[in-house]
Amino acid sequence: GSAVVLVSNLDEECVSADALFNLMSTCGNIVRIKILYQKRDAALVQFESADEAARARATLHGCPLWRRTLSVATSKHQTIQVRHSNPANADPDESYLHGEYAGSPLNRFRGPSSSHASPIHPSRLLHVASVPADMSQAELIELFSSHGPVTRVKFLTPKAQDESRPARSDRKMALLELPSVQDAAEAICSFHNFEVSGSRLRVSFSSSSLSS
């Protein structure tokens, strides 16, 4: 199978390579994204592996985003070719159409475990990590409320990964619920990798249960 998917039915007024990266990278590590120059409501997304591309098709096809419904399909391309134009003629206003992410620390998965990551289907509930320790619940709610009123939020106690690596005390995590799946998807597009007090938020869908 191909490691490239075709994502269509995007809102060309809202989409950028980085925003699409934030959502699609919930399914695997991304190498490159190219919004189609002649058809800007569609984009090609190249993952590191065909398994990750298949996960994106299974998980994000039908996800509501920007008042539309995403289509995620297999691409006939095996890789995304980048047209190297003369930089002197390049339009800086079109830089949002293309993104290179190979080896980027912005990718979510580390090591071989990425190929075994369990897909988390879109939901109203978000997991927010790398929240600065001094960020209050009210400040977190205010940030995310630009995508709809936050219905519930709960800070979590980070668990140590192992005895030699205790949990960081200068970061915390939270579960945060928005009114709709579309609101949550748009919040991921906006706030994954968003910098707050020197820390970059990590935002993803959550399969957890947010008990009162």
Side-chain angles (χ1 to χ4, degrees):
S2 172
V4 180
V5 297
L6 174 66
V7 184
S8 54
N9 206 28
L10 297 161
D11 185 335
E12 59 186 82
E13 297 296 322
C14 298
V15 71
S16 68
D18 285 347
L20 194 57
F21 168 86
N22 288 349
L23 181 64
M24 302 300 294
S25 64
T26 60
C27 296
N29 290 341
I30 290 174
V31 175
R32 178 177 292 147
I33 292 178
K34 181 181 179 182
I35 297 170
L36 304 186
Y37 186 81
Q38 300 291 347
K39 187 175 172 18
R40 299 191 185 189
D41 63 348
L44 294 171
V45 179
Q46 181 179 340
F47 287 91
E48 287 183 353
S49 71
D51 285 346
E52 291 168 317
R55 190 182 305 137
R57 295 194 301 272
T59 306
L60 293 177
H61 177 73
C63 178
L65 183 71
W66 300 317
R67 303 168 304 283
R68 300 184 178 197
T69 302
L70 284 188
S71 171
V72 184
T74 303
S75 171
K76 62 184 180 182
H77 301 282
Q78 293 298 313
T79 60
I80 298 176
Q81 300 298 321
V82 179
R83 184 179 62 190
H84 293 287
S85 58
N86 182 350
N89 297 328
D91 185 346
D93 292 337
E94 293 175 356
S95 61
Y96 72 93
L97 297 174
H98 172 253
E100 293 285 342
Y101 305 100
S104 169
L106 301 181
N107 271 307
R108 299 169 183 265
F109 301 100
R110 300 283 182 269
S113 62
S114 64
S115 60
H116 306 296
S118 299
I120 298 178
H121 287 269
S123 71
R124 296 187 300 144
L125 189 63
L126 296 174
H127 182 272
V128 187
S130 294
V131 179
D134 60 355
M135 189 174 197
S136 69
Q137 180 171 304
E139 289 170 330
L140 189 64
I141 289 172
E142 182 181 7
L143 180 66
F144 279 83
S145 63
S146 59
H147 288 284
V150 174
T151 52
R152 288 189 292 178
V153 64
K154 177 184 178 183
F155 278 116
L156 306 173
T157 302
K159 294 186 175 72
Q161 293 181 347
D162 57 56
E163 291 182 2
S164 64
R165 296 178 62 192
R168 292 182 58 166
S169 60
D170 61 336
R171 299 284 186 273
K172 54 188 179 182
M173 300 183 295
L175 292 175
L176 186 141
E177 188 180 70
L178 289 166
S180 71
V181 173
Q182 176 175 285
D183 293 330
E186 291 174 5
I188 289 176
C189 289
S190 295
F191 295 129
H192 180 63
N193 291 318
F194 186 81
E195 187 170 331
V196 180
S197 300
S199 176
R200 289 191 174 274
L201 300 180
R202 314 283 290 183
V203 187
S204 58
F205 295 115
S206 176
S207 58
S208 298
S209 173
L210 183 56
S211 56
S212 300

mmCIF file with all atom_site columns, all heavy atoms in Angstrom, residues 137 168 187 206:
data_model
loop_
_atom_site.group_PDB
_atom_site.id
_atom_site.type_symbol
_atom_site.label_atom_id
_atom_site.label_alt_id
_atom_site.label_comp_id
_atom_site.label_asym_id
_atom_site.label_entity_id
_atom_site.label_seq_id
_atom_site.pdbx_PDB_ins_code
_atom_site.Cartn_x
_atom_site.Cartn_y
_atom_site.Cartn_z
_atom_site.occupancy
_atom_site.B_iso_or_equiv
_atom_site.pdbx_formal_charge
_atom_site.auth_seq_id
_atom_site.auth_comp_id
_atom_site.auth_asym_id
_atom_site.auth_atom_id
_atom_site.pdbx_PDB_model_num
ATOM 1  N N   . GLN A 1 137 ? -6.524  26.552 35.459 1.00 0.00 ? 137 GLN A N   1
ATOM 2  C CA  . GLN A 1 137 ? -7.657  25.954 34.740 1.00 0.00 ? 137 GLN A CA  1
ATOM 3  C C   . GLN A 1 137 ? -8.410  27.023 33.965 1.00 0.00 ? 137 GLN A C   1
ATOM 4  O O   . GLN A 1 137 ? -8.811  26.812 32.819 1.00 0.00 ? 137 GLN A O   1
ATOM 5  C CB  . GLN A 1 137 ? -8.585  25.256 35.735 1.00 0.00 ? 137 GLN A CB  1
ATOM 6  C CG  . GLN A 1 137 ? -9.794  24.589 35.088 1.00 0.00 ? 137 GLN A CG  1
ATOM 7  C CD  . GLN A 1 137 ? -10.561 23.726 36.074 1.00 0.00 ? 137 GLN A CD  1
ATOM 8  O OE1 . GLN A 1 137 ? -9.989  22.831 36.683 1.00 0.00 ? 137 GLN A OE1 1
ATOM 9  N NE2 . GLN A 1 137 ? -11.845 24.005 36.249 1.00 0.00 ? 137 GLN A NE2 1
ATOM 10 N N   . ARG A 1 168 ? 7.876   14.936 35.040 1.00 0.00 ? 168 ARG A N   1
ATOM 11 C CA  . ARG A 1 168 ? 8.341   16.323 35.163 1.00 0.00 ? 168 ARG A CA  1
ATOM 12 C C   . ARG A 1 168 ? 7.368   17.133 36.009 1.00 0.00 ? 168 ARG A C   1
ATOM 13 O O   . ARG A 1 168 ? 6.150   17.078 35.815 1.00 0.00 ? 168 ARG A O   1
ATOM 14 C CB  . ARG A 1 168 ? 8.447   16.954 33.777 1.00 0.00 ? 168 ARG A CB  1
ATOM 15 C CG  . ARG A 1 168 ? 9.559   16.360 32.932 1.00 0.00 ? 168 ARG A CG  1
ATOM 16 C CD  . ARG A 1 168 ? 9.664   17.048 31.599 1.00 0.00 ? 168 ARG A CD  1
ATOM 17 N NE  . ARG A 1 168 ? 9.912   18.484 31.743 1.00 0.00 ? 168 ARG A NE  1
ATOM 18 C CZ  . ARG A 1 168 ? 10.298  19.258 30.740 1.00 0.00 ? 168 ARG A CZ  1
ATOM 19 N NH1 . ARG A 1 168 ? 10.486  18.747 29.538 1.00 0.00 ? 168 ARG A NH1 1
ATOM 20 N NH2 . ARG A 1 168 ? 10.502  20.550 30.918 1.00 0.00 ? 168 ARG A NH2 1
ATOM 21 N N   . ALA A 1 187 ? -9.696  22.516 17.350 1.00 0.00 ? 187 ALA A N   1
ATOM 22 C CA  . ALA A 1 187 ? -8.784  22.890 18.441 1.00 0.00 ? 187 ALA A CA  1
ATOM 23 C C   . ALA A 1 187 ? -7.434  22.199 18.271 1.00 0.00 ? 187 ALA A C   1
ATOM 24 O O   . ALA A 1 187 ? -6.386  22.798 18.541 1.00 0.00 ? 187 ALA A O   1
ATOM 25 C CB  . ALA A 1 187 ? -9.403  22.533 19.791 1.00 0.00 ? 187 ALA A CB  1
ATOM 26 N N   . SER A 1 206 ? -8.862  12.018 22.903 1.00 0.00 ? 206 SER A N   1
ATOM 27 C CA  . SER A 1 206 ? -8.712  11.115 24.040 1.00 0.00 ? 206 SER A CA  1
ATOM 28 C C   . SER A 1 206 ? -9.831  10.086 24.045 1.00 0.00 ? 206 SER A C   1
ATOM 29 O O   . SER A 1 206 ? -10.985 10.401 23.727 1.00 0.00 ? 206 SER A O   1
ATOM 30 C CB  . SER A 1 206 ? -8.734  11.897 25.355 1.00 0.00 ? 206 SER A CB  1
ATOM 31 O OG  . SER A 1 206 ? -8.686  10.994 26.454 1.00 0.00 ? 206 SER A OG  1
#
